[in-house]
Amino acid sequence: MTYEARPDLAHIRMSNGLTSVFISVLSLAASALAETERERELAAWFASHDQGLFGLGVVGFDVSELPWSPSTFVREREFTLRVIEAAKARTGWERLGYAPREDWIQPCLDQLRAMVEALVVEDACRAGATAWSYGDRPEPLVLCPVHRVYQHEYGCVLCNDR
Ligand SMILES: [Zn+2]
């Protein structure tokens, strides 16, 4: 996980296993907090980074790649920061089926928070940077009945992780 335009901010380096935990806890938190269609889309976007489907070690992202929209960027960044806080507060972790190593995952969430806090609209909304990297945006957005996570084009990231 990177913020390419800000090389002074440390990249987040994670094992494949920790990457799965990272994506899962963000997907759980975002799905729990999402109230608008845009917020549901952000939840599904996190979930689309599905190693069970796209392969180990390939699903990293740059914070500029979230499907930010210029007119609502400030609100979306605020939502994303709330999602990170909710993930840090273990929102939905009871549906993970395992207990993540907090001493590993919490520092990664702290690093992501620092990147998102630093993110500016000019970096987030560069022209042509709106396409999803992993599958297409699902239509409609649907929750996995088991995990209460918004599904990506090819199902639920937590179901695929088993
Ligand atoms: Zn599921």
Side-chain angles (χ1 to χ4, degrees):
M1 315 296 153
T2 59
Y3 181 174
E4 251 176 42
R6 286 289 302 275
D8 55 309
L9 294 171
H11 294 179
I12 306 175
R13 297 185 189 285
M14 289 182 283
S15 66
N16 295 333
L18 190 54
T19 300
S20 281
V21 177
F22 188 77
I23 295 300
S24 293
V25 299
L26 289 171
S27 301
L28 284 164
S31 298
L33 292 184
E35 290 177 344
T36 68
E37 186 69 4
R38 286 289 297 144
E39 291 168 355
R40 287 189 281 273
E41 180 177 348
L42 284 167
W45 184 89
F46 282 119
S48 74
H49 291 70
D50 187 335
Q51 289 194 121
L53 201 63
F54 295 107
L56 295 173
V58 303
V59 298
F61 60 83
D62 191 87
V63 287
S64 69
E65 292 173 359
L66 274 76
W68 307 108
S69 117
S71 57
T72 49
F73 169 73
V74 172
R75 225 179 308 152
E76 288 157 11
R77 185 178 57 186
E78 189 263 341
F79 173 74
T80 304
L81 290 171
R82 282 196 289 125
V83 166
I84 295 166
E85 289 310 312
K88 289 181 61 61
R90 299 181 288 278
T91 299
W93 284 23
E94 67 279 4
R95 293 191 294 282
L96 278 173
Y98 57 87
R101 284 277 304 258
E102 294 218 33
D103 53 335
W104 293 357
I105 192 68
Q106 294 284 4
C108 297
L109 292 167
D110 289 338
Q111 276 181 277
L112 180 66
R113 179 174 55 193
M115 287 183 189
V116 173
E117 280 174 345
L119 186 65
V120 292
V121 66
E122 292 78 12
D123 293 334
C125 300
R126 285 174 303 198
T130 52
W132 286 32
S133 302
Y134 302 99
D136 289 324
R137 179 198 189 283
E139 189 61 51
L141 295 162
V142 177
L143 279 174
C144 167
V146 177
H147 296 107
R148 313 296 298 166
V149 163
Y150 281 98
Q151 300 187 32
H152 56 69
E153 187 180 6
Y154 305 104
C156 165
V157 65
L158 267 68
C159 288
N160 291 344
D161 193 31
R162 277 183 294 183

